[in-house]
Amino acid sequence: MNAAAPPPALSDDLCARLRDSLLEHGFTTTGVRDLLGAGAHAALTRGEPEAAARATREGGGLGSLVRLFLLGGTEAAPPLPEVDALVAGGLLARTPDGVRAAMDLRPYGEEHSDDPAGEALWYVLSDLDTPAARQDRDHVTGVGGASLTLASSLVRTPVRDTLDLGTGCGVQALHASRFSGRVTATDVAPRALATARATLALSGVHTVDLVEGPWLEPVADRRFDAIVSNPPFVPGPARVDYVYRDSGQAGDAALAGLLHDLPARLRPGGRAQLLGSWLHVRGEDWPDRVRAWVPGGCDAWIVQREVTDPALHVGTWQRDAGLDLAAPATRAQAAAWLDWLEAERVEAVGFGFLLLRTVPDGRAPEIVVEDLPGELADPLGAEMTGWLDRVDWLREHASDAALLGARLALSPSATLERYAVAGVEGWSDAGAAVVLADGPQWRHEVDEPAAALLAGCSGALPLEELFALLSLAHDRPVDALVQAALPAVREFVRHGVLVPAATGDRA
């Protein structure tokens, strides 16, 4: 590993002037996309810079900024204020032909967000994404897949204050500033906090307080309405090779401990959202294992997005660190990691979303641990918000009598799929499933009475009357139908297949 570079030292005033210059030249996500065009922009996203470089030739000041910050080029006279100060602050480095970027600076935002605050024009500062830079122990990562995944899953109901635990370069703090009156962002690494401070100043966000310290220690005497965290979640031996990903605790112990500690830092009804990884241990049921981490008095929705085998898990994170997988030292590291996983009886490693909410007034909590079905087509933010709303509704209709008295409507995105299998005499019906076309695209196998019940859910009649009609149509006792179907109805509501009629849409 390399020695850590000095942290950036960019004053708020310098960042404000730099922001003005970047905006003046159109260095925004929209401006860059328009300059490059769809083809070159897509190529740059794939890591193919030549088409983008060609597109910047007639791009004036914006073209110079794209070459400097997005293509790793050297510019003799970039259109930036106080170049000497930017060099001294660590953003730029001198070369014989001009200056080059010493850190990664790129536009970021929510141009197409429905947020009432309007369009977000942000800038994210991070360490360069090169193999050599990624091997620094205190390397500060930029906007990656994990940070985008977490940001797109956030519940955006307005709150007074939010804690961004382990802020890194400050991405989640930016998003939290959109729905939170105040944000407190913590990190154990001084380099990360200095980088986040510049990110926030460059983005014109002034509602974030930065605090240094490990885990929840810096806020041990405080409570928040919301907590968001992209913590070090890579399971492995108890060591810290890279601060951004390694917790220093063996396996998934750090995640288990964090879940245990989070509710004490939340106000009643407060929510916490984070990413995490957990071990699939031979002889243990992984949902039961993770469910046991959830402390009492909390609703929890834990959604496994993907599962990798041990070899893929180790290889993925070695690639992420920019290591040469064939090098003897890298192979020795992989061997030690795989030996540890084998000794711990680990069969696979899961990764996904965790949503917690403290339940006030001693009400019965709801804990659900499940897999996402297939690819995630849409961001999970609306689904996370809807899940909390639907759990509240189900809690208010916990008794069978209350649920039977409710009027429910079938989601407009629900589709009934029937499938058949080939036989000696041609196709024969094999079953049916109701599938949602949006969000996680939940899929539920249904029999004919269940399909008929769903079809009848238009919001016009309470469930008990629909069951009475179903009993007549299928010549089955109504009590037997109710007993068999109500658990499925609750699951349909939880996944948004059925919605309370008063809402008219998926909560």
Side-chain angles (χ1 to χ4, degrees), residues 436-462:
L436 289 179
D438 56 10
Q441 301 181 359
W442 301 113
R443 178 184 179 89
H444 294 266
E445 301 291 327
V446 294
D447 57 15
E448 286 305 315
L453 176 66
L454 289 171
C457 287
S458 64
L461 297 175

Side-chain angles (χ1 to χ4, degrees), residues 449 467-468 470-485:
F467 275 116
L470 203 62
S471 172
L472 293 174
H474 290 267
D475 193 25
R476 292 175 61 180
V478 65
D479 290 344
L481 282 173
V482 168
Q483 184 177 4

Side-chain angles (χ1 to χ4, degrees), residues 105-469:
L105 175 64
R106 60 189 58 228
Y108 180 65
E110 296 179 315
E111 278 89 349
H112 305 292
S113 170
D114 293 330
D115 194 308
E119 180 178 326
L121 295 173
W122 296 327
Y123 295 94
V124 173
L125 185 69
S126 63
D127 283 324
L128 294 174
D129 188 24
T130 64
R134 290 207 301 273
Q135 292 175 49
D136 290 346
R137 183 181 185 276
D138 292 332
H139 177 73
V140 180
T141 61
V143 182
S147 56
L148 290 172
T149 295
L150 179 58
S152 68
S153 74
L154 293 182
V155 175
R156 294 177 179 253
T157 305
V159 295
R160 287 168 292 180
D161 51 11
T162 296
L163 170 64
D164 175 14
L165 177 65
T167 190
C169 68
V171 173
Q172 304 308 324
L174 289 175
H175 287 280
S177 72
R178 301 280 278 180
F179 57 81
S180 185
R182 198 77 195 172
V183 179
T184 298
T186 70
D187 207 289
V188 69
R191 179 174 182 78
L193 288 174
T195 304
R197 182 173 291 107
T199 287
L200 295 164
L202 287 166
S203 299
V205 174
H206 307 293
T207 56
V208 179
D209 302 312
L210 295 165
V211 186
E212 182 182 342
W215 299 102
L216 292 165
E217 285 185 20
V219 293
D221 59 344
R222 297 178 58 187
R223 290 194 173 194
F224 300 88
D225 291 327
I227 297 175
V228 57
S229 182
N230 183 9
F233 59 69
V234 180
R239 55 184 293 174
V240 179
D241 290 330
Y242 306 99
V243 172
Y244 74 90
R245 76 174 202 197
D246 300 324
S247 69
Q249 300 184 49
D252 48 20
L255 179 61
L258 181 58
L259 289 185
H260 177 272
D261 294 341
L262 281 176
R265 304 276 64 81
L266 287 170
R267 297 191 183 99
R271 62 183 186 257
Q273 290 185 260
L274 56 157
L275 298 180
S277 279
W278 39 84
L279 303 177
H280 289 222
V281 178
R282 188 180 306 113
E284 299 182 25
D285 182 66
W286 80 264
D288 289 345
R289 186 170 181 275
V290 177
R291 188 180 290 110
W293 298 345
V294 180
C298 287
D299 290 327
W301 190 27
I302 299 171
V303 188
Q304 183 168 262
R305 180 182 178 184
E306 60 186 46
V307 181
T308 59
D309 62 67
L312 179 58
H313 171 71
V314 172
T316 295
W317 290 106
Q318 287 189 320
R319 289 186 186 89
D320 180 78
L323 299 177
D324 177 1
L325 300 189
T330 307
R331 292 188 60 179
Q333 182 193 71
W337 202 338
L338 290 169
D339 285 345
W340 182 89
L341 291 167
E342 184 176 347
E344 296 295 319
R345 300 178 292 114
V346 176
E347 297 179 316
V349 179
F351 165 80
F353 306 87
L354 301 97
L355 169 65
L356 271 71
R357 179 178 61 179
T358 55
V359 180
D361 305 327
R363 303 174 205 171
E366 181 77 14
I367 301 175
V368 177
V369 183
E370 59 189 338
D371 282 287
L372 273 177
E375 294 294 326
L376 182 60
D378 300 314
L380 269 186
E383 190 71 12
M384 291 282 182
T385 305
W387 190 88
L388 293 174
D389 292 341
R390 296 190 292 265
V391 163
D392 282 340
W393 188 91
L394 286 169
R395 189 178 284 122
E396 294 169 0
H397 296 77
S399 69
D400 289 352
L403 186 57
L404 287 169
R407 300 170 188 263
L408 295 171
L410 186 62
S411 168
S413 71
T415 301
L416 183 67
E417 297 180 354
R418 298 187 182 276
Y419 48 94
V421 296
V424 176
E425 298 180 358
W427 296 103
S428 59
D429 291 338
V434 61
V435 182
L436 289 179
D438 56 10
Q441 301 181 359
W442 301 113
R443 178 184 179 89
H444 294 266
E445 301 291 327
V446 294
D447 57 15
E448 286 305 315
L453 176 66
L454 289 171
C457 287
S458 64
L461 297 175
L463 274 179
E464 57 187 352
E465 294 188 27
L466 292 177
F467 275 116
L469 294 172

